[in-house]
Every structure is written in C-alpha cells, then in structure tokens.
Amino acid sequence: MITVHGRASSVNVQIVMWAIAELGLPYERHDVSGPFGGTDTPEFLAMNPNGLVPVIQDGDLTMFESAAIVRYLGAKYGDDRFWPKDPVERAPLDMWAEWAKTTFATAMNPIFMQMVRTREADRNMALVEMSVKQLAKAAAIADARIGDGPFLFGDAPTFADIIFAHQLYRYYTLPFERTQTPNLDRHYERLTKRPAFAEHVMISYESLRAK
Ligand SMILES: N[C@@H](CCC(=O)N[C@@H](CS)C(=O)NCC(=O)O)C(=O)O
C-alpha cells in the first residue's frame, strides 16, 4: 500500500496519483498542504524538509519530488512499456519527460500562478504574455511529437506521458490564447475519456483562486 501525502488540487500530487492509477496500485491519500495545513510539523518536515507536497511512503521508502516519484513507481511497478528496462530504450522517454518538466511546465507555471493564485489587480501581465509565447513554442513541439499518437511513444501511456500530460487540464482550461495544435487537442480529448486522468487530473482549481 502506497501512502501519498498531499491535497488532490495540487498539480504535483496529480502527476503521482495519475501514475498510481495507471499502474493500478493500492494507495491511501492524506489531505495535507494548502487549506489542510500539516506541512510545517516536525513529522512532515522530516519527510520533506521543503514542506511541500507530494510525499510518498512505500514500505521503508519515503520520498518527495513528484517526477522522481513517478520514475520510482515506473521502475518498481511498471511493465516494460511503461518503464523500459533497457536504458537505451528508456532514454528517449526520459528526454521527453525532462523536457516536459523543464520546458512545458516551466512555461505553464507562471500563467497558472498569475491567472489563478494572484488577484486580478496584482497580476504581472507582462510575465503572462512572455510565458504564453514560450508555451506556444513548447505546445507546437509537443503537437509535432504526438502526431497521431495516441501517446508520446505509441499505443500505451508511459511514465513520459504522465510527466508531460498531467499539465494538460490546466493548459486547456486556463483563459489564455493557445496556439493551434490539432494533434495535441486530440490527445487531450482522448485523455479526458481515460478514467485515471479524469479522476486524478481533471480537478477544479477554483479553491486555489486568490480572493
Ligand atoms: N518540485 C516539487 C514541487 C512541489 C510543490 O511545489 N508543491 C506545492 C503544491 S503543487 C506545495 O506543496 N505548495 C504548498 C502548499 O500547497 O501548501 C515537486 O515536483 O514535487
């Protein structure tokens, strides 16, 4: 049984929950962080000195950093499609996973922080504009990679898909001008019909909105 500490509305908890669901693993999740608090206790800080979620416990292992957690789950529980054992086969998946975290998500984050977590009067719209431009470039790259898909690497989702596409609910629901990406649009449309994605990623962020 895997224990996940973190609220369902956190995008970094969502990536872990989606991976757990795709892998069909038993879990329990405790609501911690944001309105639930609990990240500044000595017990929590002993698990993650950053005071951030998610944290998982699996047997004697405790770990933080969402993408590292997805890689661990893939290596421990995934089949050879989800987590290729051969480093040469796995390398391109990991390349796209890393790109997703460092390029796509890095452009998404300021848009989310400004449009949801910042009151309208305080928003830095120059930062939003710059991030929207960066994101358009990244989305076009993802669009070309996905093509007919249905996933980044063929017919089944891998750890790279989770690390990339857990951002797509916010990408498609935040109010900003998206570039034309028909393949990515179809990819998202297909994901919305996937129970694990719908349950763990398509979660309203209204409770996070700055008032
Ligand atoms: N790089 C970390 C970032 C973790 C992070 O920033 N978590 C946010 C939620 S998405 C958090 O714990 N914020 C404090 C809070 O919600 O109280 C990861 O990927 O796990």
Side-chain angles (χ1 to χ4, degrees):
M1 167 81 75
I2 295 168
T3 303
V4 180
H5 302 268
R7 60 187 160 80
S9 59
S10 150
V11 76
N12 291 310
V13 172
Q14 289 164 13
I15 186 178
V16 169
M17 294 309 301
W18 184 21
I20 286 175
E22 290 291 352
L23 292 168
L25 305 174
Y27 70 89
E28 58 182 19
R29 187 182 59 74
H30 300 300
D31 274 326
V32 183
S33 85
F36 302 99
T39 50
D40 55 358
T41 63
E43 293 76 23
F44 189 88
L45 291 170
M47 295 193 293
N48 183 357
N50 301 288
L52 298 172
V53 294
V55 169
I56 68 153
Q57 292 171 297
D58 186 18
D60 290 338
L61 174 75
T62 299
M63 69 184 292
F64 60 87
E65 280 305 332
S66 59
I69 293 170
V70 172
R71 287 179 170 96
Y72 160 72
L73 294 173
K76 175 126 194 229
Y77 300 107
D79 62 15
D80 208 48
R81 286 293 300 264
F82 189 91
W83 178 268
K85 305 282 175 288
D86 176 355
V88 175
E89 262 181 58
R90 194 171 66 244
L93 280 62
D94 209 16
M95 176 182 78
W96 282 98
E98 198 62 17
W99 172 85
K101 261 283 185 196
T102 57
T103 303
F104 194 88
T106 303
M108 270 296 300
N109 196 40
I111 301 174
F112 183 78
M113 294 308 283
Q114 294 299 315
M115 301 309 288
V116 176
R117 312 263 355 207
T118 308
R119 285 182 311 157
E120 194 169 354
D122 299 329
R123 284 179 194 155
N124 179 344
M125 293 313 288
L127 174 60
V128 172
E129 214 175 291
M130 191 181 78
S131 303
V132 166
K133 276 192 197 142
Q134 288 169 348
L135 194 53
K137 221 171 135 194
I141 289 169
D143 185 73
R145 170 66 218 178
I146 298 266
D148 290 335
F151 292 98
L152 281 171
F153 288 85
D155 292 342
T158 69
F159 74 98
D161 287 286
I162 309 274
I163 294 176
F164 167 59
H166 78 287
Q167 290 283 341
L168 292 183
Y169 173 67
R170 291 182 178 185
Y171 175 79
Y172 278 102
T173 56
L174 284 169
F176 66 91
E177 203 172 317
R178 278 166 287 277
T179 189
Q180 295 215 344
T181 53
N183 298 326
L184 191 60
D185 298 354
R186 279 195 297 275
H187 182 55
Y188 176 65
E189 209 38 55
R190 287 190 296 267
L191 288 174
T192 61
K193 300 192 172 63
R194 218 174 157 83
F197 185 86
E199 181 179 351
H200 295 291
V201 180
M202 298 176 70
I203 293 177
S204 168
Y205 41 80
E206 282 314 307
S207 65
L208 305 176
R209 198 171 282 287
K211 303 216 167 64

